Amino acid sequence: MKRWMSTVATVGLVASGLALASPASAGGGRPGDAELERWAHDTWRSLVAMTDEETGLPADNVTGDLQTSSAYTSPTNIGGYLWSTVTARDLGIIGADEARDRMSTTLDTLTDLERNDASGMYYNWYSPTTGEKLTTWPDSGDPVHPFLSTVDNGWLAAALRIVREAEPALAEQADALYDSMDFASFFDPAGAAGLPAGTNRGGFWEQAPPDCSVAAPMYNGSGATAYYTCHHYDTTVSESRIATYLGIANGQLPATALSGTHRTMPPGCDWAWQEQLPSGEYRTYDGFQVWEGAYSYDGMSFVPSWGGSMFESLMPDLLVPETKWGPKSWRLNHPITVAVQKQHGLEEAGYGYWGFSPASNPFGGYAEYGVDIAGMRSDGYTSDAEKTDVDIDRPGCAEGTNPDPVFGDGVVTPHAAFLALPYDRKGALSNLEGIESELGAYGPGGFYDAVAVRSGTIAERYLSLDQSMIMAAIGNELTKDKLKDYFVDREMEQRLRPAMRQQEFSSSWGAGGGHKG
């Protein structure tokens, strides 16, 4: 039996209130810190439950009783587990030896996993118990066409950066894995339509899939043929920007790649399918013209994500010091994004709770949730189970079909509120306390993944991705952003920070706007 299996006993003591105080709680702290620590202990318990002892790979999800895990995992799940292990150690939930053993087991497995030779990238689905690349979907028996995902490899690589700094004994092994991953393999230098600075594709297959693909020599010059996704990651406010950051930091992508995505779709009726007609202006960065567009909500202006969800906007901010390095962009946009979500949940839709992001569907399966009016996609991520689509007028271009919607059974996901902690701590804590005590969406592994607030229907399971976002958010709040300290090195700062610093979004609190804490 592995030494790190002692965590189960440790977490049991924590749940009983018998564990010693963690370093984060020593000497007191701010109101709410004790709650955050308790939530972190319970959240870690879910990650322990879904992680295989021999491979160190977390399953994608586990049932609410922590008994039955899924038979598949992804690079994002693995990366989230690694940074959660570092966070659990830094919060005193587990000891240094156990954390090292856990991460060592995972790195050993990663070293042996089958990968794409020409890029060093990992496939999107593996068995958490054997580490085998999946070619058949465990639940249905349907064929899996092995795919190399840009964003999923980004999150795994990000975690390897953290491990190499957080645990010196594993630095060489983590470094070797990290250095073998070439993000140039995803970057199309020709860019997407109207974006000449170059843009990442969504990923590629080694063999032509049955659906749409674009065959091309791999962009990293390896000589291999890749079958790329027909779509690009062409929006700025997207979780996929983590891959762009890493590529720039590694010298594999030009810094001008930050100008290769849309803030909003361009103005004018040719783009009137988007959710709102944006306001803004054109600005030029390093010779590339960018439409710095923004949407509006309750007097506030902001750069929207594709679907209007919290994790698209704020997941990269868990690891990258975006508000510090982007004083005229992310420092404005992030708190306004949080304010929009809060205003929608509490006032516009009247749910009494907020935090909208893709998560488990309380009525079965998985669904994409967001604030529709705050996303570019015209039939975007909705905030309720009824999928109430908001469609407002685009003056002079299109007449809205549902400008004054009546919202139904709103679905909130706790990880979205945790992501808001740096920007509205008081509001996020109050929201989470209500989700736990009033809605009862809390179990042995922390907050259940989602809850429909009016019917009280709860998705009683835990997703590895969402739990790892919660761990990172709590860890940053209680350790003054240690994960960001691990993630950033001098080379990254020299290459990435100047490019981020010059970006200037059209975000604004507006005359009637303000931080509603």
Side-chain angles (χ1 to χ4, degrees):
M1 181 175 290
K2 294 184 180 294
R3 176 171 41 179
W4 50 263
M5 285 304 292
S6 63
T7 295
V8 175
T10 302
V11 175
L13 289 175
V14 170
S16 303
L18 300 176
L20 295 176
S22 71
S25 64
R30 292 184 292 173
D33 280 1
E35 271 188 318
L36 289 171
E37 291 175 32
R38 174 172 62 84
W39 292 336
H41 278 85
D42 291 342
T43 302
W44 174 246
R45 190 180 187 193
S46 72
L47 287 161
V48 171
M50 68 179 87
T51 301
D52 186 84
E53 303 170 23
E54 299 302 322
T55 65
L57 300 183
D60 179 82
N61 61 79
V62 66
T63 51
D65 59 5
L66 306 182
Q67 296 302 307
T68 306
S69 297
S70 66
Y72 52 92
T73 191
S74 71
T76 294
N77 293 333
I78 300 166
Y81 169 69
L82 286 171
W83 74 58
S84 295
T85 303
V86 171
T87 298
R89 181 201 67 185
D90 289 350
L91 293 179
I93 298 171
I94 60 175
D97 289 345
E98 180 180 340
R100 189 182 310 111
D101 287 347
R102 284 181 172 275
M103 291 187 285
S104 177
T105 299
T106 306
L107 294 185
D108 286 346
T109 299
L110 285 170
T111 301
D112 293 334
L113 288 185
E114 183 180 353
R115 291 194 272 169
N116 173 261
D117 293 335
S119 65
M121 293 297 173
Y122 288 86
Y123 298 99
N124 221 40
W125 301 112
Y126 295 91
S127 164
T129 56
T130 68
E132 292 181 358
K133 177 182 71 178
L134 294 185
T135 56
T136 302
W137 198 247
D139 296 342
S140 64
D142 293 338
V144 172
H145 301 278
F147 179 65
L148 292 302
S149 163
T150 305
V151 64
D152 285 275
N153 276 285
W155 290 117
L156 177 54
L160 292 172
R161 289 183 67 94
I162 291 169
V163 172
R164 74 180 184 181
E165 293 299 322
E167 182 44 72
L170 301 176
E172 184 176 353
Q173 188 177 16
D175 237 350
L177 290 169
Y178 179 80
D179 290 343
S180 69
M181 301 173 73
D182 187 358
F183 284 91
S185 61
F186 297 120
F187 184 72
D188 180 0
L195 295 170
T199 316
N200 282 327
R201 292 273 184 182
F204 63 88
W205 297 265
E206 295 169 329
Q207 306 293 329
D211 300 322
C212 184
S213 66
V214 177
M218 194 174 289
Y219 298 133
N220 64 359
S222 65
T225 296
Y227 294 85
Y228 286 100
T229 58
C230 291
H231 74 277
H232 293 81
Y233 278 129
D234 60 356
T235 56
T236 300
V237 182
S238 164
E239 75 282 5
S240 67
R241 66 186 181 272
I242 190 66
T244 305
Y245 290 153
L246 292 170
I248 294 171
N250 297 346
Q252 297 162 344
L253 272 63
T256 52
L258 295 186
S259 297
T261 52
H262 292 295
R263 298 350 180 204
T264 66
M265 295 300 164
C269 292
D270 287 345
W271 301 86
W273 57 263
Q274 63 181 312
E275 193 68 59
Q276 299 186 31
L277 287 185
S279 60
E281 61 182 290
Y282 283 98
R283 297 192 179 98
T284 300
Y285 305 100
D286 298 320
F288 290 101
Q289 189 179 66
V290 175
W291 166 244
E292 289 291 359
Y295 282 5
S296 63
Y297 187 98
D298 194 32
M300 301 173 281
S301 298
F302 60 96
V303 180
S305 61
W306 178 244
S309 72
M310 198 78 92
F311 102 111
E312 293 173 285
S313 297
L314 294 179
M315 187 176 175
D317 186 58
L318 291 170
L319 306 182
V320 184
E322 290 186 313
T323 57
K324 182 178 181 182
W325 291 3
K328 296 181 180 179
S329 54
W330 303 110
R331 186 178 296 174
L332 283 167
N333 212 65
H334 286 338
I336 294 173
T337 295
V338 171
V340 168
Q341 286 241 342
K342 184 177 179 181
Q343 186 85 342
H344 174 75
L346 298 186
E347 298 189 30
E348 181 188 21
Y351 298 140
Y353 301 91
W354 54 278
F356 309 98
S357 201
S360 298
N361 183 344
F363 303 96
Y366 187 84
E368 294 165 328
Y369 301 102
V371 179
D372 183 24
I373 193 67
M376 278 188 269
R377 178 175 168 173
S378 59
D379 57 346
Y381 303 171
T382 59
S383 64
D384 60 7
E386 291 80 2
K387 299 190 179 300
T388 300
D389 180 52
V390 181
D391 185 32
I392 62 172
D393 290 343
R394 272 77 87 202
C397 299
E399 185 175 337
T401 59
N402 192 22
D404 298 304
V406 176
F407 296 95
D409 201 1
V411 178
V412 296
T413 179
H415 80 257
F418 278 102
L419 291 173
L421 275 171
Y423 306 105
D424 187 357
R425 176 184 164 106
K426 181 180 178 181
L429 288 173
S430 175
N431 189 48
L432 288 163
E433 288 163 358
I435 292 173
E436 178 183 11
S437 61
E438 296 170 12
L439 298 180
Y442 200 89
F447 286 93
Y448 290 126
D449 202 48
V451 55
V453 299
R454 289 187 172 141
S455 66
T457 309
I458 298 170
E460 293 189 8
R461 68 170 179 165
Y462 301 102
L463 269 58
S464 177
L465 167 61
D466 298 352
Q467 297 301 86
S468 66
M469 282 192 275
I470 291 172
M471 285 296 294
I474 296 175
N476 281 337
E477 191 70 12
L478 295 179
T479 67
K480 297 183 178 179
D481 287 338
K482 261 194 173 182
L483 283 182
K484 293 180 183 178
D485 292 340
Y486 296 138
F487 180 78
V488 171
D489 61 13
R490 182 174 297 178
E491 188 174 40
M492 170 177 272
E493 184 165 4
Q494 289 175 340
R495 286 174 168 163
L496 183 57
R497 186 171 186 171
M500 292 179 67
R501 185 173 58 236
Q502 68 175 333
Q503 291 184 298
E504 187 174 351
F505 291 174
S506 297
S507 308
S508 169
W509 286 105
H515 196 287
K516 298 175 175 67

